[in-house]
Amino acid sequence: MFRVQRAFTNLGGDIHGPGELARESGLDDSAVFRILQSGVYQGVFERVGRGRYRLGRSTAHLAIHALAHVPDNASHEILEELHDATRGGLVMLYLLAPFGGAKRQCVDMAVGDSDLSEYGLTPREVLCVTRSLRTGASGRTILAYLPEPIQQRVLAEPVPEGAGPGAIHDNETLLASLADIRDQGYAIGLQECMAGWNSCAAPIMWHDSIIGALLLLKPAAVMPEPPSSTIEATKAAAARLSRISSVPWATMR
């Protein structure tokens, strides 16, 4: 099924038939047809006409499947450990939103014993400005691993109102940053989402598909730029989240 999904993204456009998907994926026609039928039932693909298909609600499917494998509190413990390892860095877990287009949503966080208002952060900043995939280290991290047609759709959106002074407005610069993220495995955000806050983020994968990003925030006065130790700690925590989302918890050690 992953090979057929990749064939959709490699071919570009929205709608394709089993024959071209078979040629692109390297599978035979009958195998692709069976995969498409199974995928339609699961919501991964949608049938839009006789012999024509497009990608369906795969984002929600992947995220739900991944979360189903995570034991209670396992992901939050990783966030808390990163918070402690970075001496009080604010840690937020973002997943692709299953509804509302190509967006992200904060599903968990580790901020110690304080609430966000003590840091000068408002719910609007966390839940509204940071939903965009074109703004902020976690948004760009997720965007870097999404198919090109979805990237183009996000690039056509405006920078969210209220974004920080470091938000990237130029699309060519933004695309170049996505290539850097894929090469390095992390993103740096310098006052992108909110003025006065710097960050780093790393991708959370389900097999070879992006499902979210792990974000670490600190005041710019405390962290003018994320040091290598913070970047490596964030990458390691994101890799742990990727592993527990991809492996049934009963088999983990």
Side-chain angles (χ1 to χ4, degrees):
M1 189 171 290
F2 275 116
R3 288 171 68 175
V4 175
Q5 285 178 304
R6 281 197 296 270
F8 270 100
T9 60
N10 290 341
L11 288 167
D14 290 331
I15 301 172
H16 299 288
E20 55 188 332
L21 292 168
R23 289 189 293 274
E24 181 63 31
S25 66
L27 300 170
D28 63 57
D29 289 8
S30 59
V32 169
F33 181 77
R34 290 195 301 272
I35 291 168
L36 289 170
Q37 299 310 302
S38 174
V40 167
Y41 177 76
Q42 298 177 46
V44 178
F45 308 116
E46 293 179 4
R47 187 184 293 108
V48 293
R50 181 166 181 165
R52 308 293 288 173
Y53 300 85
R54 66 185 174 196
L55 288 172
R57 302 181 304 276
S58 55
T59 295
H61 172 81
L62 291 174
I64 291 168
H65 186 101
L67 290 173
H69 286 315
V70 180
D72 291 345
N73 298 323
S75 61
H76 187 74
E77 288 175 3
I78 294 173
L79 271 60
E80 292 286 356
E81 290 172 10
L82 181 59
H83 167 77
D84 295 340
T86 54
R87 299 182 179 181
L90 306 186
V91 182
M92 298 184 180
L93 173 60
Y94 283 92
L95 293 180
L96 272 166
F99 303 105
K103 305 290 183 183
R104 59 185 157 138
Q105 61 185 44
C106 182
V107 298
D108 198 4
M109 62 181 71
V111 297
D113 296 328
S114 302
D115 62 39
L116 292 177
S117 63
E118 295 181 22
Y119 294 101
L121 298 176
T122 68
R124 180 182 182 278
E125 289 173 318
V126 174
L127 300 176
C128 297
V129 175
T130 60
R131 280 180 56 79
S132 171
L133 293 183
R134 70 166 295 150
T135 306
S138 61
R140 290 188 294 109
T141 293
I142 295 172
L143 186 62
Y145 295 90
L146 288 175
E148 192 271 340
I150 297 179
Q151 290 181 352
Q152 292 301 323
R153 196 178 310 162
V154 172
L155 264 61
E157 300 172 357
V159 172
E161 182 181 352
I168 302 174
H169 291 258
D170 178 70
N171 282 349
E172 290 189 8
T173 303
L174 182 57
L175 283 172
S177 79
L178 303 185
D180 290 340
I181 292 167
R182 291 190 296 270
D183 289 341
Q184 299 170 355
Y186 67 92
I188 299 294
L190 302 179
Q191 301 191 65
E192 277 191 61
C193 284
M194 296 165 284
W197 287 86
N198 290 341
S199 61
C200 65
I204 301 170
M205 311 295 290
W206 184 61
H207 300 284
D208 58 355
S209 297
I210 186 75
I211 61 170
L214 185 62
L215 177 73
L216 184 132
L217 280 164
K218 277 194 173 184
V222 176
M223 187 176 71
E225 189 161 327
S228 59
S229 58
T230 295
I231 294 170
E232 292 305 316
T234 304
K235 289 173 61 179
R240 290 175 63 193
L241 288 168
S242 296
R243 286 196 296 272
I244 66 173
S245 71
S246 300
V247 180
W249 68 268
T251 67
M252 295 194 317
R253 298 291 185 268

